[in-house]
Amino acid sequence: MKKNLRNAFIAVLAMVGVSANAQTVVTFTAGTEKGTSMKDKNKDKMEKEGVVIESSNAALAQNPYRIYKNSKTTFSCSTANITKIVITEAKKAFDNKITGFAAENGWVVDGDAKTATWTGNASSVDIAAPNHQVRAGKIEVTIAAADPTTVAAPTISGETTFTEKTTVTLTAEGAKIYYTTNGDVPTEKSGFLYTKPFDLTATTTVKAIAVKDGKTSSVAEKTFTKEEVKVVNSIAEYKQLAAKEKATLKLNDAQVLYTWTTNKGNTSTYVRDNSGAILFYQVGANLELKQNEMLKGEITGTFDLYNKIPELVYAAGLTNLAKVERTAGSDATPKAIKVGEAMDNLCDLVALDKVKFTVEASTDKKGNPVKKFYVVDGDKKVQIYNGFHLDAYKDMAFDAETEYNVVGIVASVYKEVPSINIIKVEKNTTEGINTVATETINANAPMYNLAGQRVGKNYKGVVIQNGKKFINK
């Protein structure tokens, strides 16, 4: 009898030990698990295995994660309670260490300022960053083992921010789901029985429960917010918006001039219509816009100015191409400009013809000697820069004696000096033209600039038509 009791006691202890150790660690690694935001002043969140990390101001699509000053970050889990959170700073965190977080409410920042740790038992945990920005390389969330007798709350999914409508999907394995959209807590009698995804067209909080074998789960809820945004009729009008304002841009015969993605996955797409040009930031990465495509329709995004460069920034849940007609287009025509006109053509595809470079010696951040190239006209100048990291120009082997024809995007401004990110640079070869015509010939024949690109009748400068060079005025 005593032996049986002892064996039973050992079995109970073993079950307790298994239960105590049956926890799950969900790891978020910067660059692998990502949110949607690449910049500050944006809400952001990411989800993995039932764990949700949501911040009032963060860039969780960045590597490392950036959690900005004065933000609040919430950790929650729909399947079980959280028992531990460890936030580890990035390997190269500069001065933005974990000390940006407040060591309070159960959070402990270690002496070397490498990690911030919370331990406890809760379904939701908050941490504030009142001191400065935090850059984290890894976040580990430990969740307790789920009680096998407990019915898990349903999962509510769908775009939480929308402009017209959003589709909501509810899931709960092996259970019936009842939900409400009026703010009331659902029951089997008061809630709607979920059978299929449904649409929302106004700001709504969805609450849901799962029912299985006579047992009811806790209440899951999620708010879906309809954003009212204005509509503008051109790129020029869009650029008059206030910074961080969301709006819908009407596109009419707009064209993708150039698109470029960095090795960190940040995509810049330059778009022009009849009123001007703008940078679509991260829109190309999410929607795969292609160079020279013609665009017609509507696209919603957040307007911003980054170092004077006008941008339409991707807004999660709002930016899509559902209302944009895309067709293949011919090669975009560069706009012939003078040096002093570069600031008036930010984000546009431009051409500088028959220019000489001024070469300035400088050093990079590591103290290595570098050369910077400028085109100077009186008190105006523009930098010629391999900002798109094209292999053909990685050595920037230009000299100060040769005339060049430059094609590129006016892509940045530094200390009031605009920079043209080069797409093509060729030596000017117009010397030796014996016959110069001042009128076009055979107007229906295709016309090309000296870079070999087809141009329209309004192009100004030296062109080639029917195999002959002449100046088109």
Side-chain angles (χ1 to χ4, degrees):
M1 180 69 176
K2 291 182 179 180
K3 183 176 180 181
N4 291 337
L5 287 173
R6 184 178 63 184
N7 290 339
F9 182 68
I10 291 173
V12 169
L13 289 178
M15 291 177 65
V16 171
V18 169
S19 176
N21 293 315
Q23 300 189 88
T24 301
V25 178
V26 181
T27 301
F28 295 80
T29 303
T32 302
E33 287 77 31
K34 299 179 181 180
T36 58
S37 176
M38 294 292 294
K39 290 186 176 183
D40 64 343
K41 299 181 182 178
N42 285 311
K43 295 180 181 180
D44 202 6
K45 78 172 183 178
M46 53 186 177
E47 302 181 44
K48 182 180 180 181
E49 298 175 20
V51 175
V52 179
I53 303 176
E54 190 165 10
S55 180
S56 63
N57 186 9
L60 301 179
Q62 288 270 27
N63 183 8
Y65 298 131
R66 285 163 169 78
I67 302 172
Y68 294 102
K69 183 178 179 180
N70 295 324
S71 63
K72 185 182 82 170
T73 303
T74 300
F75 301 80
S76 60
C77 182
S78 61
T79 59
N81 277 1
I82 298 172
T83 59
K84 187 176 182 180
I85 303 171
V86 179
I87 304 174
T88 305
E89 75 167 1
K91 292 182 179 179
K92 295 181 179 179
F94 305 100
D95 293 326
N96 299 291
K97 296 187 177 180
I98 295 297
T99 50
F101 286 136
E104 59 186 18
N105 300 327
W107 286 92
V108 177
V109 177
D110 74 354
D112 294 331
K114 300 292 184 183
T115 61
T117 304
W118 177 90
T119 54
N121 195 311
S123 60
S124 178
V125 183
D126 294 334
I127 185 170
N131 302 318
H132 52 70
Q133 178 191 144
V134 174
R135 298 189 181 187
K138 182 171 65 174
I139 301 174
E140 297 167 288
V141 181
T142 302
I143 56 176
D147 184 346
T149 65
T150 300
V151 178
T155 298
I156 306 173
S157 57
E159 294 288 354
T160 55
T161 304
F162 62 97
T163 56
E164 293 186 358
K165 71 175 181 179
T166 186
T167 300
V168 179
T169 301
L170 308 180
T171 54
E173 186 175 353
K176 291 183 178 181
I177 303 172
Y178 296 87
Y179 70 95
T180 61
T181 56
N182 62 357
D184 291 345
V185 174
T187 66
E188 291 183 70
K189 292 183 178 180
S190 66
F192 297 106
L193 176 63
Y194 176 79
T195 57
K196 63 181 180 179
F198 55 92
D199 292 337
L200 299 175
T201 58
T203 297
T204 305
T205 296
V206 176
K207 296 184 178 182
I209 57 170
V211 178
K212 183 179 180 181
D213 298 332
K215 296 180 180 180
T216 301
S217 73
S218 59
V219 179
E221 69 175 78
K222 182 172 289 188
T223 298
F224 298 85
T225 304
K226 181 178 182 179
E227 291 210 7
E228 302 293 341
V229 297
K230 67 170 63 175
V231 177
V232 298
N233 297 310
S234 68
I235 287 176
E237 186 178 344
Y238 195 88
K239 292 191 290 187
Q240 298 302 311
L241 297 170
K244 307 300 181 182
E245 184 176 359
K246 293 182 176 69
T248 297
L249 169 63
K250 283 190 175 181
L251 299 169
N252 186 24
D253 293 329
Q255 184 170 25
V256 178
L257 302 173
Y258 196 79
T259 185
W260 175 67
T261 301
T262 70
N263 56 10
K264 293 183 178 181
N266 304 327
T267 296
S268 296
T269 303
Y270 300 89
V271 178
R272 172 207 286 164
D273 68 8
N274 293 330
S275 72
I278 195 169
L279 166 61
F280 283 7
Y281 185 69
Q282 290 300 92
V283 174
N286 291 278
L287 306 177
E288 297 182 350
L289 290 172
K290 296 179 175 59
Q291 189 169 337
N292 296 322
E293 276 189 324
M294 301 301 298
L295 310 177
K296 186 174 183 179
E298 296 181 356
I299 186 168
T300 301
T302 303
F303 174 70
D304 201 5
L305 281 172
Y306 183 75
N307 291 340
K308 296 192 175 183
I309 299 299
E311 300 178 342
L312 184 153
V313 183
Y314 179 88
L318 298 178
T319 307
N320 60 65
L321 294 180
K323 293 187 176 182
V324 177
E325 178 184 341
R326 302 161 65 181
T327 57
S330 57
D331 291 346
T333 303
K335 182 179 179 181
I337 66 167
K338 297 178 181 179
V339 172
E341 298 172 333
M343 285 294 289
D344 297 325
N345 291 279
L346 299 177
C347 303
D348 213 338
L349 179 68
V350 301
L352 288 175
D353 291 334
K354 299 179 66 174
V355 294
K356 289 186 176 181
F357 295 157
T358 297
V359 185
E360 296 182 9
S362 183
T363 57
D364 61 19
K365 293 181 179 179
K366 296 181 180 180
N368 300 318
V370 295
K371 291 181 179 180
K372 293 185 177 181
F373 299 86
Y374 297 89
V375 179
V376 180
D377 184 6
D379 62 346
K380 303 291 185 181
K381 70 177 182 179
V382 60
Q383 185 177 4
I384 306 301
Y385 180 58
N386 187 20
F388 296 137
H389 300 277
L390 302 180
D391 289 341
Y393 305 109
K394 62 183 178 181
D395 58 355
M396 295 289 283
F398 308 125
D399 62 70
E401 303 301 323
T402 303
E403 280 190 344
Y404 294 94
N405 298 319
V406 180
V407 174
I409 300 286
V410 187
S412 61
V413 180
Y414 179 68
K415 292 184 177 180
E416 303 301 319
V417 177
S419 176
I420 294 178
N421 283 6
I422 55 180
I423 296 174
K424 181 178 289 187
V425 178
E426 292 183 338
K427 292 182 179 180
N428 179 48
T429 57
T430 59
E431 296 83 3
I433 299 177
N434 296 318
T435 302
V436 178
T438 58
E439 297 181 358
T440 59
I441 55 176
N442 295 333
N444 292 328
M447 188 183 299
Y448 302 88
N449 63 17
L450 294 178
Q453 297 168 317
R454 186 167 179 171
V455 297
K457 295 180 180 180
N458 294 328
Y459 182 84
K460 308 299 182 185
V462 178
V463 297
I464 302 172
Q465 191 177 41
N466 292 329
K468 295 182 180 181
K469 295 178 181 178
F470 62 93
I471 296 176
N472 192 45
K473 294 185 178 180

